[in-house]
Amino acid sequence: MSSTAPTRTPHANSPEPHAATAPAVAVKGVGKTFGATEVLKGIDLTVPAGATTCLIGPSGSGKSTLLRCIAFLEEATKGTITIKGDPLGFAEAANGQRTRLSPQNIRSVRSRIGMVFQQFNLWPHMTALGNVCEALVTVRKMKRKEAEERGMAQLSRVGLEHRATHYPSELSGGQQQRVAIARALALDPEILLFDEPTASLDPELTGEVLNVMRDLAGSGMTLLVVTHEIGFAATVGESIAFLDHGRLLLNGTPREVFGEPRHPRLAQFLETYLDRGAATLL
Amino acid sequence: MSLDFGLIIEQMPDILSGLWVTLWIWVVASILGAALGFLVAAARRYGPAPLDWLLKLYVEILRGNPFLIQLFLLYFGGPFIGLRLEPIPAGLIGLTIYASAYFSEIFRAGFQAVPRGHVEAAQCVGLSRSQILRRILLPEMTMLVLPQCVNMAIILIKETAILSIITVPEMTMVIGAIGSQQYAFVDAMFLLAIFYWVLVEICDWLGRRAEAKLSKFRFAVT
Ligand SMILES: Nc1ncnc2c1ncn2[C@@H]1O[C@H](COP(=O)(O)OP(=O)(O)OP(=O)(O)O)[C@@H](O)[C@H]1O
Ligand SMILES: [Mg+2]
């Protein structure tokens, strides 16, 4: 993937490793509390570049919160997150002192991350193409025509070029989610985050979205996917992270994580999916 | 009571001029009131806390007493603080300020009705705060609050009648005066009732048409 974003090169004075060798995302000691509840209790997670990492875990374990911290929709209360070596939101000095980075810096690091939500979150007053082009025109200051060409290319990537002029209300849930993926792709992100992208879809529509994600994974894009689709995680995920009660219990290849002997908490978690037949895909 | 159509036709120029004053004051006060109301709502949402309290007080006071009293205070009380206004500017300003309080409450609810995720999606692709306000919140809100805005506009058209009390030459004052002169006051009021009702129906119809046009921008299943 090529990008024109000047922010890609690490800062000259940055002590972080060079972007080419740094992981796509490095989460170090991240904690998050909401009021008195400690939702994330010191997470260390490395998301390798060019691979698909699936984040699984029981409901309420903190998966969405971790993903939202990486998207900077929530601010971690402890620890650091780096994107290809560049700190996100806060810089941490050697003595553990965290300082907030400038808004411009935050926005430029953030613009390298694409996010896909469970609820799609398309803007209802814009067409599919309008949704995809919005940031290209407003943020990247691209010419309308150029942006639309690029937007169409992204829509065809998710198989929806024939729906470009449709409004979200005129699209099925699966199509809306694919438009949302195209919208995230249009900015040429270095990493795409997905928070249960198929959870609010009718079962017969999940396939089309998972197929698009499979294609993206195959094209060498870096994906971090929170999912309850254990079958997808086991077959597409190259790295599996299992979160439980705000801690990262397991992290490894699908074989390492799902293979016998299973961690008792994972076994217990998977049992709840046996009923749905998902675990039989393992 | 019998409507004298000869008299109505005879007085047509005056009636039309009254109708015109009612119409333009209504339209201008509605637009300015909505714009001011939007600014108040946005300032309350994005401004510092003391500004929010101050504007909350502004809204509460304006909503807490009759428009008639507010208009009297502006027109007759204004000169005491050096604010001497002609009837038409006083009426226009009074109605605009009165409307802004209600519009600001409509927009405040509108801000809250836009799903958080739509704003988060915009943050994720790098839109700035003001871009999110302009490109996402304002248009989405407009669709959500349109029915309440139409409703407010309908209330305002009826409030314009109160401007007659400070001698704004609008419909109620003009037609009322003709009615008194010609000893046909009840007929005049009856005519006015019909005029206002027709205006309200037109406004309602326009609002419904706009809503139908916007319906495809409604949220999908999500
Ligand atoms: N904004 C918030 N304020 C307070 N508590 C929150 C907030 N967001 C999340 N939580 C709490 O944090 C915990 C973890 O939530 P999170 O949404 O990250 O879980 P999850 O693993 O994504 O669950 P699910 O599979 O149900 O989506 C939950 O107990 C939740 O109630
Ligand atoms: Mg979640």
Side-chain angles (χ1 to χ4, degrees):
Chain A
M1 282 235 143
S2 74
S3 164
T4 49
T7 50
R8 262 201 142 166
T9 40
H11 302 292
N13 58 358
S14 166
E16 302 294 337
H18 190 268
T21 55
V25 181
V27 174
K28 286 193 195 105
V30 160
K32 174 73 188 172
T33 50
F34 288 108
T37 12
E38 194 178 9
V39 174
L40 297 178
K41 301 166 183 163
I43 304 275
D44 291 298
L45 174 68
T46 302
V47 178
T52 297
T53 303
C54 290
L55 194 53
I56 59 170
S59 184
S61 55
K63 305 180 296 293
S64 295
T65 305
L66 177 58
L67 204 70
R68 289 170 59 81
C69 285
I70 296 171
F72 209 62
L73 289 170
E74 304 285 357
E75 293 180 12
T77 30
K78 270 198 325 227
T80 56
I81 295 170
T82 55
I83 308 297
K84 283 267 173 75
D86 297 322
L88 171 74
F90 298 91
E92 197 171 53
N95 62 2
Q97 183 79 31
R98 289 207 316 167
T99 46
R100 210 190 155 83
L101 296 169
S102 72
Q104 295 94 306
N105 178 297
I106 291 175
R107 266 172 61 194
S108 81
V109 175
R110 223 179 150 180
S111 73
R112 293 153 60 188
I113 305 166
M115 174 89 176
V116 176
F117 301 85
Q118 181 180 340
Q119 304 292 343
F120 329 137
N121 288 335
L122 293 182
W123 303 305
H125 56 294
M126 298 181 194
T127 61
L129 186 59
N131 268 275
V132 178
C133 292
E134 179 58 26
L136 294 176
V137 177
T138 345
V139 183
R140 297 274 163 97
K141 308 291 177 207
M142 223 181 243
K143 293 240 166 27
R144 183 99 236 161
K145 194 168 165 294
E146 199 188 335
E148 281 180 358
E149 269 166 26
R150 195 179 167 130
M152 283 306 289
Q154 301 308 327
L155 281 176
S156 56
R157 204 164 161 189
V158 298
L160 284 175
E161 62 276 31
H162 58 297
R163 290 283 181 271
T165 58
H166 288 232
Y167 284 88
S169 62
E170 302 167 332
L171 297 172
S172 73
Q175 290 171 335
Q176 289 185 60
Q177 192 59 300
R178 282 148 68 197
V179 172
I181 294 173
R183 173 172 71 181
L185 284 174
L187 294 168
D188 208 1
E190 291 166 44
I191 170 165
L192 265 188
L193 310 177
F194 292 82
D195 192 359
E196 301 197 36
T198 58
S200 53
L201 294 176
D202 292 338
E204 71 270 23
L205 297 178
T206 59
E208 60 186 77
V209 172
L210 292 179
N211 281 337
V212 166
M213 292 168 66
R214 250 181 223 116
D215 287 348
L216 287 175
S219 74
M221 179 89 209
T222 307
L223 307 184
L224 176 57
V225 186
V226 170
T227 185
H228 280 138
E229 300 275 345
I230 303 299
F232 177 87
T235 54
V236 182
E238 288 147 278
S239 160
I240 306 289
F242 177 62
L243 214 58
D244 190 37
H245 290 297
R247 283 183 220 284
L248 188 70
L249 276 196
L250 302 167
N251 187 10
T253 64
R255 192 180 289 272
E256 288 164 355
V257 173
F258 293 126
E260 303 288 350
R262 281 183 191 156
H263 189 285
R265 286 293 298 156
L266 177 68
Q268 195 184 9
F269 166 69
L270 289 177
E271 286 219 339
T272 59
Y273 289 90
L274 273 174
D275 302 339
R276 300 200 208 159
T280 56
L281 290 167
L282 296 180
Chain B
M1 182 187 80
S2 60
L3 277 179
D4 182 344
F5 287 102
L7 186 64
I8 293 175
I9 288 163
E10 201 176 293
Q11 305 284 351
M12 207 36 125
D14 283 349
I15 294 175
L16 283 180
S17 104
L19 181 65
W20 168 243
V21 172
T22 292
L23 269 179
W24 82 255
I25 289 189
W26 170 54
V27 170
V28 173
S30 297
I31 291 170
L32 293 180
L36 186 59
F38 178 75
L39 290 179
V40 169
R44 286 190 64 182
R45 188 180 169 90
Y46 295 108
L51 188 63
D52 179 26
W53 301 330
L54 213 67
L55 291 172
K56 184 179 160 64
L57 191 68
Y58 167 88
V59 171
E60 293 302 313
I61 289 174
L62 288 167
R63 292 203 317 161
N65 53 67
F67 176 53
L68 179 68
I69 311 292
Q70 293 168 22
L71 195 64
F72 275 162
L73 282 174
L74 178 68
Y75 186 66
F76 297 111
F80 288 104
I81 55 161
L83 189 71
R84 221 166 286 276
L85 290 169
E86 292 296 311
I88 288 184
L92 189 63
I93 292 170
L95 196 61
T96 297
I97 290 175
Y98 171 77
S100 73
Y102 291 88
F103 275 118
S104 84
E105 288 293 280
I106 293 173
F107 287 125
R108 215 160 69 94
F111 273 127
Q112 279 156 7
V114 174
R116 242 198 99 58
H118 293 193
V119 174
E120 289 183 345
Q123 289 172 336
C124 281
V125 294
L127 268 69
S128 68
R129 246 183 181 200
S130 68
Q131 286 170 336
I132 291 174
L133 188 63
R134 223 161 13 89
R135 301 283 308 161
I136 311 296
L137 285 172
L138 188 57
E140 279 201 38
M141 233 167 63
T142 307
M143 297 179 294
L144 294 168
V145 302
L146 190 73
Q148 288 101 295
C149 287
V150 170
N151 201 35
M152 189 60 214
I154 286 174
I155 291 172
L156 287 176
I157 196 157
K158 292 177 285 181
E159 298 285 16
T160 58
I162 291 181
L163 302 187
S164 63
I165 296 184
I166 59 162
T167 68
V168 173
E170 50 66 73
M171 210 156 72
T172 297
M173 182 185 154
V174 171
I175 296 179
I178 296 170
S180 312
Q181 282 157 20
Q182 309 288 339
Y183 305 103
F185 193 69
V186 176
D187 304 57
M189 290 302 120
F190 185 68
L191 193 65
L192 276 172
I194 290 171
F195 275 10
Y196 282 110
W197 185 48
V198 168
L199 287 180
V200 166
E201 285 301 322
I202 291 172
C203 178
D204 203 32
W205 178 77
L206 286 174
R208 274 201 309 268
R209 253 184 56 139
E211 263 176 74
K213 274 235 156 87
L214 290 175
S215 69
K216 72 171 167 200
F217 303 138
R218 277 283 154 69
F219 304 118
V221 276
T222 67

